[in-house]
Amino acid sequence: ILISLSSITTGILNSMGAENKTLICNTVGSALMIACVWFLPKLMGVYSLIVGFTLVHGISAVVNVILINKYCCEKPRYLKFLLLSVLFLLPTAFIGLLLKRMLLSRLGNLLTLFLCAIIMVTFNLLLYFGFNLLNVNLIKKTFSKKKKLSLRFSFLKLKKR
């Protein structure tokens, strides 16, 4: 989520003419990542790289969202969704770690990976539905057969012209 949010918000700010601010933000984040990679391997090993990437994209995402709220005339209504999405990462990651510990010795690497991914995505979706961040009716409309067929036929009609 942090990488996606950082990339999207950086593009938005760049299109608004705030390239210097995103450059400064990414430079500070990169300096912190270099510091993490330089000093933390003694304490954390290879996980220091993950901490560095989290710092880079986390700082960039937070600062970019603050700058977008500052520069936009109309205030965005997505902050509740972003906050809850980031908070949902904690229980989802915890469930993933528990499942990995329980299943890895019994099922092996590949099957554990697939099973954990399916359960974690399902758990995350249930959290989104439970907190009304996703609407079931909207998803049904998006994946309905009528819409897919109409898209296919409209594509064929465009192709004939």
Side-chain angles (χ1 to χ4, degrees):
I1 287 179
L2 293 177
I3 293 172
S4 301
L5 184 61
S6 173
S7 298
I8 291 168
T9 55
T10 298
I12 291 170
L13 284 172
N14 287 344
S15 68
M16 294 171 63
E19 295 93 353
N20 290 337
K21 301 210 189 261
T22 57
L23 176 67
I24 291 169
C25 179
N26 284 327
T27 304
V28 169
S30 298
L32 288 174
M33 181 175 161
I34 290 171
C36 286
V37 171
W38 190 267
F39 295 112
L40 289 181
K42 295 173 187 169
L43 301 172
M44 301 179 72
V46 73
Y47 297 110
S48 62
L49 186 62
I50 295 172
V51 171
F53 277 123
T54 303
L55 279 177
V56 168
H57 296 295
I59 289 171
S60 176
V62 169
V63 171
N64 287 348
V65 167
I66 291 170
L67 288 173
I68 288 172
N69 286 334
K70 180 180 174 183
Y71 287 133
C72 284
C73 298
E74 184 179 328
K75 297 300 176 197
R77 295 179 216 129
Y78 58 86
L79 291 178
K80 176 186 173 188
F81 182 83
L82 286 178
L83 179 66
L84 288 175
S85 295
V86 171
L87 289 176
F88 290 166
L89 290 176
L90 297 173
T92 305
F94 183 69
I95 284 179
L97 288 173
L98 286 177
L99 285 171
K100 177 188 157 203
R101 286 188 179 173
M102 289 181 352
L103 300 175
L104 189 60
S105 62
R106 294 179 179 99
L107 299 178
N109 288 333
L110 190 61
L111 196 56
T112 300
L113 173 71
F114 287 130
L115 194 60
C116 285
I118 290 169
I119 292 172
M120 289 171 67
V121 167
T122 304
F123 178 74
N124 218 359
L125 284 173
L126 289 174
L127 285 174
Y128 281 113
F129 289 132
F131 282 87
N132 281 336
L133 296 179
L134 287 179
N135 189 353
V136 177
N137 294 329
L138 179 66
I139 293 174
K140 285 181 182 178
K141 287 180 185 177
T142 304
F143 293 110
S144 70
K145 291 183 180 181
K146 291 179 183 178
K147 189 169 185 169
K148 285 183 182 180
L149 290 175
S150 65
L151 286 175
R152 287 181 192 159
F153 289 126
S154 64
F155 175 71
L156 292 174
K157 289 177 186 175
L158 289 175
K159 195 173 182 181
K160 289 180 182 179
R161 291 181 188 168

